[in-house]
Amino acid sequence: MNSWITNNVWLIPAAPIAASLLILAFGKAARRAAAAVAIVGQIAALTMSIFAFVPTLHSHGFRAVQNFTWFTFGEQILRIGFVLDPLAAAMLLMIALVGLCIFVFSIGYMGEDKNFSRFFAYLSFFSGAMLGVVVANSLLLLFVFWELVGLASYLLIGFWIERPSAAAAAKKAFITTRIGDMGFFLGILLLYHRSGTLLFYDGGRGCLEPVALSAIGSSVTLVALLIFCGAMGKSGQFPLHVWLPDAMEGPTPVSALIHAATMVAAGVFLVARVYPIFSVGAINGVTPSLTVVVWIGVITGLMAALIAIAQFDIKRILAYSTVSQLGLMMVSLGAGGVAAGIMHLLAHGFFKALLFLGAGSVIHGLHHEQDIRKMGGLHRLMPITFLTYAVGMMALSGVPFFFSGGWTKEEILHATSNWPRSHLPHYLALIGVILTALYMTRQIIYVFFGNRRAASEHAHESPSVMAIPLIVLAVCAVFLSVVLTPAWPWLESYLTGHPARFDARLLIQPMIVVSLALVGAGVSVGIWMYRRAGEADPLQHAQPALFRFLENKMWIDEIYGRTVIALSAILARLSDWMDRHVWDALVQDIGRIGQFFGRVTTSADERVINAGVDESTSGAHGLGRLMSRWHSGQIQTYLGAVALGMLALVLLYAWLG
Amino acid sequence: MSTVAFAVIAILTLAAALAAATLQKLMHAALSFAVMFVGISAFFFLLGAEFVGLVQIFVYIGAVAVLIVFTILLTRDDTGKVRSFNWGGVIVAIAVFAGLVWAIAKTKSLPLTPSQIEPITVQRIGELLMTNYVWPLQCVGVLLTAALIGALILVMEEKS
Amino acid sequence: MTLPILLVISSGLFCIGLLAALSRRHAIFILIGIEMMLAAANLNFIAFWRFGPQPAQPTGMMVAIFAIAIAAAEAAVGLAMVIVVYRHFRSTNVDQLDRLKG
């Protein structure tokens, strides 16, 4: 069974995609069947992921690769393949499990929607595409699934297509990520040009293996940065982060899937997957491309955390927290903490899905109210949601010891403190940790404590189909911390291949104390600031100008509107003018030449040829009248006659030959 | 593997062709038409004519299918909705099919295995186009230009 | 994958194209049918080239390439004519187009 799955990894993404096609074939009416098929597909993917996970445990550095020829184009052989290694196996497990929870939650959340079955079809497709990204062993195949993820996110963000804002958000997400993908594709081309292969691992000849890496030569930094463009688009890194908060227009389970398990994880995963390209020629673990990754990550992380403080939409706050956490992951990857970054990605997958589904449960309970200023006092009305949300909040804030996020964040801080180039990212990351604790405290106080405000009058706890996924995810977010502690860094050793030993003395590290102090500071400042928060935000009261700056997302959208978008509008108008006045005139002139020739031949016809023909026609007239009975003017009759004549010829030919 | 793929492609192609010929809605027929050309290109790939397969995809799916869709959109008419089907055509088509199959079955000396060949590179095709086939190439160029101009003149709005 | 099976498939395609060209009333279907028949012919060219005695000489391939180019020209002009006919008669139903009747 185990070896069977390692040789057929492609089945894992195939299961949800097949489910998606099946649902689309059922049509709109089969609501129950649609949900059942989607969940069965996801369970199949989860089961296979578990079976695929088992063999990777047996040996360190396990890697199973199957490559095959896609097609031969003359002498060029294009090969693609699938790979199973610890990185892929851990991601598979996370995506399949988180995806399953979100699917189950969606049954409750989307229960009233008229396009329920279409929603599940897209959801399955999304999950399958992301699983495909993870197991691809070729940059080209990865790119294919990558674009499928983009397509699925477009369909899902714009799921409520009748809302203009949803349609606009979907378009924005698609176009913004496409800008990054443009760079990604150029990077793929350049890599192929230099190394002659796009397979990651190919028995020593793959593009992540030493022979090909040395063949890339001096352009390796360019290749790495171009690939990073794609990751920037997908993982919402500055300056391409603008689509991610707008993606909140989609249904909440979609936000959970985009922000936790699939879309944004793809970018971080991509960088981790092609890490050898980034780290070629590293001196002390520093290369130019990795330095760019670090700084982009730092800017993104800090900027998004600041913006999150001044948002009032419950989902937008979470969206900016995702952007900020992704920035942190990028910092970690760039500073050499690959395992730490991926561990944070995995842990983040669980607790961010938990937070989004919790937010979904709140929104559902409050009849689609998303403004936190209208909530409040929900901890009694929605106890399960409150408890699970609190778990997610503490994991996100990085409370150490019991919550997975605490350990992974500590690992990231550790990695950044060891970065030889500069200590600034480390300190900025520490500030990011305080800010995270602060805005999460603000959100939880607004939503669950204090007086009940307008929307919470009729609040109700969500049904169990929505509560159970929350509980499962909360348990995962806590349980995962067992394998993350520095005392027994099992997950890290699993990812890096270094054996892990249990050592209780390592449990207390200086960094743990630091992060505990920072989180404590963030939470207490939050409680002190927002203890009497009402309709108006205390920060808004104290610093109106700063608050407005942050509330409007630092005016980045507006800056883009004035610069990039305005420029492309000018270009569009220019090419429109060219079309109308230059090309069109050219075409018309060519047309006139044709007309002129036409006139010349007509007059020749009439004066020279017709005169002679007229004579003979009158003789043919009688015969023509006879034949004209056959000519019904129906082109199809003529065609049929031609076909029958051809048939007769074929038969004659076969008869004789 | 190859046999299974072949069977799947054959069934897909013929099914798409049948759908393109019989579906009531024009737009659906046009989409099936594109699917059918993917199938035919797949045959070309299986037969080792990759370049022809790619050209087929570019020209038919990229250009002709799009043209057809445009034409459908430009010529919305209600008379098309009237169910109209000429059963005489079915009889003729079946007769031609039967005749062709009979002729194929009757021919004894058809080879069963493809001959082993060196892959034909694009470079070789390019060389042939510039040497042996340079006349046809020029003619096709003139023809395409003529078709372009002709199509433009046809659809050009008459100045009133 | 043998030559007779390929030939039967291409005959099938050809006859489905013929069916579309003969039986449907809509002018676009006639064009679709013609394109289909041309594609079937191309399939035959490729098949005979691949199974033929001299596959090193890619004559069948060259013919197929030219046939595709000509078919594209045909489709462009044909569709332009459909548009013109539609402008003129406000219909693309070929039953109503019988002005050439003698």
Side-chain angles (χ1 to χ4, degrees), chain A residues 631-634 636 639-640 643, chain C residues 21-22 24-25 30 95 97 101:
Chain A
H631 289 222
S632 58
Q634 297 279 321
Q636 289 176 322
L639 266 173
Chain C
L22 289 185
R24 303 302 298 257
R25 293 300 184 218
I30 297 180
D95 267 358
L97 311 178
K101 186 158 66 178

Side-chain angles (χ1 to χ4, degrees), chain A residues 72-75 587 590-592 640 643-644 646-647 650-651 654-655, chain B residues 50 54 92 95-96 99-100 102-103 106 119-122 149 152-153:
Chain A
T72 320
F73 189 81
E75 282 163 354
V587 169
I590 294 175
R592 271 191 209 112
L644 287 177
M646 190 206 76
L647 178 64
V650 168
L651 292 183
W655 190 266
Chain B
E50 288 92 351
L54 276 180
V92 174
V96 171
L100 286 173
W102 177 76
K106 199 173 172 296
I120 305 279
T121 60
V122 182
I149 296 170
L152 274 172
I153 291 174

